[in-house]
Amino acid sequence: EDDINKIKPEYIKAFQFEHKLMPSTWIVVRIDGCHFHRFSEGHEFEKPNDGQALNLMNSCAVAVLEEFQDIVFSYGVSDEYSFVLKKDSQFCQRHASGIVSVIVSFFSSMYVMKWKDFFPQKELKYRPYFDGRAVCYPSTEILQDYLAWRQVDCHINNQYNTCFWMLVKSGKSKREAQDSLKDTQAQEKNNLLVQQFGIDYQKLPVMFRQGSSVFWDKGDEAVTYNNGPRVKLRKKVVVEHCNIIEQSFWNANPCILD
Ligand code: ATP
Ligand code: ATP
Ligand code: MG
Ligand code: MG
Ligand code: MG
């Protein structure tokens, strides 16, 4: 028993040295569903886009923003979400493993808790879990480029997936659909949708085309006090489907990344 007292805590703790994320930089935590190809098939998600599954993701992101007030903006598409922490955040003393693990586990448990609200008829058959990473962006411009990159990715994938699933639903095998889309340009895909299926890509739901942005916005909200209801100006978390590639979004919402 005496030997154990000889172990100095500082000596054991020295092994825990951990890289802290660079100070005064935007921290982005991107989470992504693990094996959601299988998860989405197992739960019979509509293809290419299951609106309820996206609404569930968005609802989890709202809960994350409400819980962790250092998160100022988030953007989600498919099974992924990017959370932006303010530059001067001291959340988890900026330890990457702390920040990532807390956000990933909170999001995963929200996903399970909210499943029934969005899929009352569907049993949760597989365990949803997410991977996560933290990346620092040293300037607002680079952060905006990061978010634009995710939205461009959303657009490219959605356009491809819309064509792919229309071809499959019209009787082609997955292999044939893949082959006929190989090396096609964006315009060719738009033409294919119009000519073969009468679909105007621009008229597809905006959430599918632009993904979802979740952020704090000010708005009137009825708050009930002990002495009766009153309208108070209170910030709340909103979900919007807007173009975040163009600078005009950031100009119109200067408070988000101020
Ligand atoms: P990994 O574990 O490497 O992330 P993954 O199977 O999750 O593998 P992703 O590249 O992340 O692969 O792609 C997510 C997949 O989940 C998409 O290909 C799509 O099939 C499916 N998916 C996610 N969300 C939806 C949704 N709302 N509607 C339909 N399918 C979805
Ligand atoms: P942090 O978010 O910083 O981890 P914390 O409140 O979780 O804060 P910890 O130092 O991790 O603080 O301590 C965990 C606390 O949870 C303990 O103080 C104890 O009160 C409680 N706890 C955890 N497991 C049990 C258990 N099995 N039985 C009773 N209490 C428990
Ligand atoms: Mg992944
Ligand atoms: Mg995934
Ligand atoms: Mg993904």
Side-chain angles (χ1 to χ4, degrees):
E1 302 106 69
D2 275 355
D3 278 356
I4 196 85
N5 294 323
K6 284 179 192 152
I7 302 171
K8 293 196 177 76
E10 309 85 75
Y11 153 69
I12 297 293
K13 281 189 178 162
F15 290 88
Q16 282 190 61
F17 75 90
E18 197 202 7
H19 171 73
K20 279 196 189 190
L21 294 168
M22 210 187 301
S24 300
T25 55
W26 298 104
I27 299 171
V28 174
V29 174
R30 181 167 79 253
I31 69 168
D32 184 284
C34 296
H35 311 299
F36 261 50
H37 184 75
R38 190 179 66 200
F39 184 92
S40 62
E41 281 183 357
H43 293 101
E44 295 167 320
F45 282 10
E46 275 173 39
K47 293 290 179 178
N49 291 289
D50 188 295
Q52 276 303 86
L54 294 172
N55 289 333
L56 170 57
M57 290 288 291
N58 296 345
S59 179
C60 295
V62 169
V64 169
L65 264 81
E66 286 171 347
E67 182 72 17
F68 306 111
Q69 310 259 321
D70 278 5
I71 300 174
V72 293
F73 185 81
S74 73
Y75 175 74
V77 46
S78 181
D79 66 340
E80 72 166 63
Y81 244 99
S82 297
F83 297 97
V84 180
L85 281 79
K86 63 183 186 190
K87 271 186 150 178
D88 58 355
S89 175
Q90 289 305 316
F91 187 49
C92 301
Q93 290 88 54
R94 297 180 80 85
H95 285 300
S97 66
I99 296 169
V100 171
S101 61
V102 163
I103 292 177
V104 159
S105 64
F106 188 90
F107 192 97
S108 303
S109 69
M110 289 312 304
Y111 196 99
V112 175
M113 287 181 75
K114 287 172 177 280
W115 175 267
K116 266 270 164 292
D117 298 344
F118 290 86
F119 294 108
Q121 321 287 2
K122 283 183 190 173
E123 187 200 345
L124 184 58
K125 289 190 285 190
Y126 299 86
R127 285 158 288 196
Y129 60 104
F130 295 79
D131 64 38
R133 72 200 69 187
V135 180
C136 291
Y137 295 100
S139 73
T140 305
E141 288 68 35
I142 301 174
L143 173 68
Q144 288 167 345
D145 286 346
Y146 166 81
L147 293 167
W149 169 55
R150 296 323 301 148
Q151 192 165 48
V152 167
D153 206 56
C154 167
H155 167 70
I156 290 169
N157 288 333
N158 186 55
Q159 203 182 32
Y160 180 91
N161 291 336
T162 304
C163 293
F164 177 85
W165 285 102
M166 285 312 299
L167 290 167
V168 169
K169 286 172 185 174
S170 73
K172 283 203 163 153
S173 72
K174 289 184 179 176
R175 186 57 198 264
E176 286 167 338
Q178 203 179 330
D179 285 345
S180 63
L181 290 171
K182 207 164 151 262
D183 303 324
T184 54
Q185 300 296 308
Q187 193 55 51
E188 292 172 78
K189 292 196 189 74
N190 273 346
N191 292 344
L192 180 140
L193 287 176
V194 173
Q195 285 156 14
Q196 288 198 38
F197 305 109
I199 293 175
D200 179 355
Y201 183 80
Q202 292 306 321
K203 296 221 170 95
L204 293 176
V206 65
M207 176 164 69
F208 301 170
R209 288 183 290 112
Q210 307 224 301
S212 301
S213 296
V214 179
F215 52 93
W216 287 95
D217 204 4
K218 43 192 171 305
D220 294 329
E221 198 185 25
V223 185
T224 311
Y225 294 95
N226 290 337
N227 50 355
R230 228 194 296 164
V231 173
K232 192 190 160 194
L233 205 63
R234 184 197 263 187
K235 285 181 85 183
K236 66 174 202 296
V237 179
V238 295
V239 181
E240 289 187 8
H241 315 290
C242 37
N243 184 328
I244 55 170
I245 297 170
E246 281 167 22
Q247 197 61 34
S248 55
F249 172 78
W250 303 107
N251 294 340
N253 296 278
C255 297
I256 296 175
L257 303 179
D258 69 352

